[in-house]
Amino acid sequence: MSLYRDEGVVLRTQKLGEADRIITILTRRTGRVRAAAKGVRKTKSRFGARLEPFTHVDLQLYERRSLDLVTQAETLRPYGERLALDYPRYTAGTAMLETAEKLTPVEKEPALRQFLLVVGGLRTLVEGGHDPRLVLDAFFLRSLAIAGYAPALEECARCGERTGRAFAIAAGGMVCGSCRPPGSASPAEATVGLMISLLRGDWARADASESRHRVECSGLVAAYLQWHLEHGIRSLRHVEREAPAREAPVREAPLRDAVIE
């Protein structure tokens, strides 16, 4: 039983009793932590607003046998305030948080790369330089890569031949004509190129992609992610599928640095 300090992003909150909450946080050093926050639902709470989803916080926690206890909380970046003003970005952010929680199933197992990816993804959404659905798909693909489930996109997932013609979720990505199982999808070449760009952080090419290829990409990425999670992402039903018909300004993507760091 001891005090420890960490920074993290609040993923989810649940009511506990009449005035408390259980806070699920993805932290930099400790991994995913579930902790009790006493009295945060009271109007006079000292740090209730600092423990809302999307908030990047500096925390002091008291380790206990069951739920740890939040004893201090200081806001580092209140991403939720900006995201709440833009529905497409808010729903994309919600899907990010849900995915991050599902991809860190073991409590208090360090997950530094996933933490950095969440912070980079939320920052990119808030900056507004890219379409939110593209940012979300990039987050999904890179989260899968961190977990060891990156789809094969430039060669056959089964034999390694560099002539992938179809996308087979159960096979692990693109497959050649000889290895293609029944029921495989046949995405456009530009759609596969978009997936590669999002995985690599090539935002110039991703931002220049056509709406129909973005929609096809989103469908494949969402299906692939949920197949590997063995659970649906409930918040995805609220995410806008159709990409806006406007060209977003190109800028360097924090997401790429978040994965490499």
Side-chain angles (χ1 to χ4, degrees), residues 25-214:
I25 313 150
L26 182 60
T27 68
R28 175 182 284 271
R29 291 180 292 276
T30 315
R32 184 176 59 80
V33 174
R34 293 173 74 247
K38 298 289 187 180
V40 293
R41 288 161 57 200
K42 295 179 179 178
T43 55
K44 295 183 180 180
S45 169
R46 291 179 301 149
F47 48 75
R50 304 171 196 170
L51 295 173
E52 292 294 329
F54 301 110
T55 308
H56 186 185
V57 289
D58 180 76
L59 299 162
Q60 180 174 279
L61 302 103
Y62 181 69
E63 188 175 12
R64 302 191 298 180
R65 289 178 181 174
S66 55
L67 289 172
D68 292 354
L69 180 67
V70 178
T71 58
Q72 291 181 17
E74 297 296 332
T75 301
L76 298 177
R77 298 174 187 87
Y79 292 119
E81 293 180 4
R82 294 277 300 277
L83 294 177
L85 301 175
D86 188 307
Y87 182 78
R89 297 184 190 282
Y90 176 82
T91 53
T94 301
M96 282 185 185
L97 298 190
E98 184 181 348
T99 301
E101 182 174 1
K102 282 184 164 60
L103 284 173
T104 51
V106 181
E107 198 166 338
K108 293 190 175 180
E109 182 177 278
L112 176 60
R113 294 181 70 199
Q114 187 64 54
F115 165 79
L116 293 172
L117 188 62
V118 171
V119 173
L122 293 178
R123 185 170 63 239
T124 304
L125 281 177
V126 167
E127 288 178 349
H130 308 288
D131 180 79
R133 187 66 210 224
L134 286 179
V135 177
L136 180 59
D137 289 338
F139 177 86
F140 285 162
L141 287 166
R142 297 178 200 188
S143 291
L144 285 163
I146 289 172
Y149 302 131
L153 297 173
E154 298 183 86
E155 66 284 319
C156 177
R158 289 183 168 174
C159 71
E161 184 180 335
R162 295 184 64 85
T163 56
R165 297 179 181 176
F167 190 88
I169 292 174
M174 296 300 294
V175 289
C176 65
S178 300
C179 298
R180 177 176 183 166
S184 300
S186 300
E189 184 177 344
T191 299
V192 179
L194 174 57
M195 295 170 71
I196 293 171
S197 298
L198 293 174
L199 191 56
R200 291 178 175 176
D202 185 351
W203 285 102
R205 289 186 62 187
D207 289 334
S209 61
E210 295 182 24
S211 176
R212 59 195 175 97
H213 297 137
R214 296 186 187 190

